[in-house]
Amino acid sequence: MSKKTVLFVSGSSQVGSSIWRMVGAAAALAEREMSDTITAVTLNLADYEIPAFTEDTAASVPDSVAAVRAIVAGADAIFMSSDEYTGAFSSVFRNAAGWLGQDVDGAGNLFQSKLITLCGAPTGGVGALRGHPALHQFLLELGANVYSQKFELGSTAKLLGPDGNLSPTVERQLREGAFAKLTEMPA
């Protein structure tokens, strides 16, 4: 089995949120336990100035967008989590997806046929339950192969332990769900 590059990205626009920290902890878990099959690469969209995507702006790809596109293009799959924003997902990710899902540089739609494992935990009891269906459908429309997993926790307080690592419950659910999908992915 060949090693796969998996991009770990947070769809959250709130740096430091539990979802943002969960993505980093999931990447660390993959590096710790799956380093023979997965190379984990993290992407924080907040580190890049990504201008608003419109048909007019698509004619000239800024360096920051080209850098993000290169990172996404180099990934075999994407592990993503997103906060819930009034039944939807963050506008930061929506804007980035405009740049990533269009052929703005001759490289095509970077989501086309790419496996995306979409993970989330309910905040306030409902979070990912409302936002994930919208994000799942959006990614399908962009041509991605989406596997959606919602963690059964009761609250995001049970997502991470005091050491910043994922709770044993979340680790188990990832191993059996999203990580299992990533390892089944054809080379």
Side-chain angles (χ1 to χ4, degrees):
M1 179 186 298
S2 66
K3 201 166 180 177
K4 299 169 185 103
T5 300
V6 177
L7 180 62
F8 287 77
V9 62
S10 172
S12 175
S13 56
Q14 187 177 9
V15 174
S17 71
S18 59
I19 297 299
W20 186 85
R21 290 179 293 139
M22 189 271 292
V23 169
L29 176 65
E31 283 288 322
R32 215 172 38 248
E33 294 190 9
M34 304 180 75
S35 61
D36 57 330
T37 56
I38 290 178
T39 298
V41 176
T42 56
L43 173 64
N44 179 2
L45 292 174
D47 290 342
Y48 298 86
E49 263 188 55
I50 301 176
F53 177 81
T54 67
E55 294 300 321
D56 295 334
T57 59
S60 175
V61 180
D63 291 344
S64 59
V65 171
V68 171
R69 283 186 60 86
I71 293 167
V72 173
D76 297 307
I78 298 172
F79 175 98
M80 182 179 171
S81 186
S82 181
D83 291 339
E84 186 271 326
Y85 295 88
T86 318
F89 47 94
S90 77
S91 58
V92 169
F93 176 73
R94 172 61 186 97
N95 183 58
W99 287 103
L100 297 168
Q102 301 294 320
D103 185 7
V104 296
D105 57 6
N109 171 358
L110 299 180
F111 292 116
Q112 188 65 47
S113 301
K114 192 164 292 217
L115 173 63
I116 299 178
T117 57
L118 181 61
C119 298
T123 56
V126 295
L129 301 177
R130 292 190 313 207
H132 265 192
L135 183 54
H136 187 122
Q137 184 60 39
F138 177 67
L139 292 168
L140 288 175
E141 293 295 326
L142 290 171
N145 176 10
V146 184
Y147 170 78
S148 188
Q149 178 176 2
K150 294 166 192 80
F151 299 123
E152 298 170 16
L153 300 171
S155 81
T156 55
K158 297 176 184 173
L159 186 63
L160 299 163
D163 59 0
N165 290 324
L166 297 170
S167 73
T169 301
V170 173
E171 286 186 1
R172 179 187 50 77
Q173 289 180 48
L174 276 178
R175 281 187 207 101
E176 294 171 0
F179 284 6
K181 285 290 181 194
L182 292 170
T183 57
E184 292 170 5
M185 179 178 58

